[in-house]
Amino acid sequence: MNRSKLTFTGLGCVLAFLALFATANEIATLRDATAIDTQQEPEVIPKVNNDDVRRSRAYPMQPPLIPHKIDNYQVDLNVNKCMSCHSRNRTEDSQAPMVSVTHYMDRDGNFLAEISPRRYFCNQCHVVQYDTKALVENQFVDMNKLIQAKQLESSKKDGDTND
């Protein structure tokens, strides 16, 4: 009985190894189909869009993208370079949009004089936009555009029934 269990277990291991070996070429890797002994050509590093043009959102509740370079911006416990333009008292001089009022609220909904510590590190939500081709097609439509389309459709139907 013990010997048959051992044989059965060994046979299972061999079959598992063969299945793994057979699918080894189908496993996705960073090297793709490049052989191990050759160096893959690196992709070109995309450039950051630096045109200060606001982009539309790609999904609901997406934080706004940063439309400019932020290389060497200091954001740490002592300094937040972003707030030198985007804080409430700096937007008139900088002409930059002010951060949302929600960034001045604590977790209990109380308004603070300065930006909330939970919202202090901008790059945990906001990212720069790169000049690249989209990896996947995005068919997201903002809620305002859906409502406008529905109202237009409704007004067309009302216009057809009045004729």
Side-chain angles (χ1 to χ4, degrees), residues 124-136:
Q124 68 187 4
C125 297
H126 302 278
V127 296
V128 295
Q129 176 66 46
Y130 289 97
D131 187 18
T132 61
K133 181 180 76 127
L135 296 176
V136 294

Side-chain angles (χ1 to χ4, degrees), residues 23-52:
T23 59
N25 291 335
E26 299 173 17
I27 296 174
T29 68
L30 294 176
R31 296 188 63 80
D32 293 327
T34 305
I36 195 74
D37 61 343
T38 60
Q39 183 65 35
Q40 189 174 16
E41 187 69 29
E43 293 183 20
V44 176
I45 298 173
K47 293 180 180 171
V48 174
N49 281 341
N50 198 33
D51 54 12
D52 281 335

Side-chain angles (χ1 to χ4, degrees), residues 10-157:
L11 183 60
C13 288
V14 168
L15 288 175
F17 177 75
L18 289 174
L20 181 64
F21 183 74
T23 59
N25 291 335
E26 299 173 17
I27 296 174
T29 68
L30 294 176
R31 296 188 63 80
D32 293 327
T34 305
I36 195 74
D37 61 343
T38 60
Q39 183 65 35
Q40 189 174 16
E41 187 69 29
E43 293 183 20
V44 176
I45 298 173
K47 293 180 180 171
V48 174
N49 281 341
N50 198 33
D51 54 12
D52 281 335
V53 174
R54 288 179 156 183
R55 305 286 188 267
S56 60
R57 298 179 191 220
Y59 57 90
M61 304 303 290
Q62 175 191 359
L65 298 171
I66 302 170
H68 57 80
K69 291 182 181 180
I70 58 169
D71 298 344
N72 302 318
Y73 271 37
Q74 182 179 354
V75 179
D76 57 29
L77 291 175
N78 300 318
V79 177
N80 183 331
K81 172 69 173 153
C82 302
M83 298 310 288
S84 64
C85 294
H86 294 280
S87 67
R88 286 188 291 208
N89 58 354
R90 295 293 314 219
T91 57
E92 187 175 337
D93 295 333
S94 68
Q95 293 298 300
M98 184 185 90
V99 296
S100 169
V101 294
T102 59
H103 290 56
Y104 290 91
M105 294 170 61
D106 66 9
R107 69 180 67 213
D108 298 323
N110 302 315
F111 283 95
L112 307 171
E114 294 296 323
I115 195 159
S116 170
R118 338 181 279 145
R119 301 291 187 101
Y120 185 81
F121 296 100
C122 307
N123 289 78
Q124 68 187 4
C125 297
H126 302 278
V127 296
V128 295
Q129 176 66 46
Y130 289 97
D131 187 18
T132 61
K133 181 180 76 127
L135 296 176
V136 294
E137 183 181 342
N138 186 351
Q139 298 174 349
F140 171 72
V141 179
D142 189 58
M143 183 59 76
N144 292 337
K145 289 182 182 176
L146 288 174
I147 292 171
Q148 288 172 351
K150 191 71 169 174
Q151 288 173 341
L152 183 62
E153 181 183 315
S154 177
S155 67
K156 283 184 179 180
K157 284 183 181 178

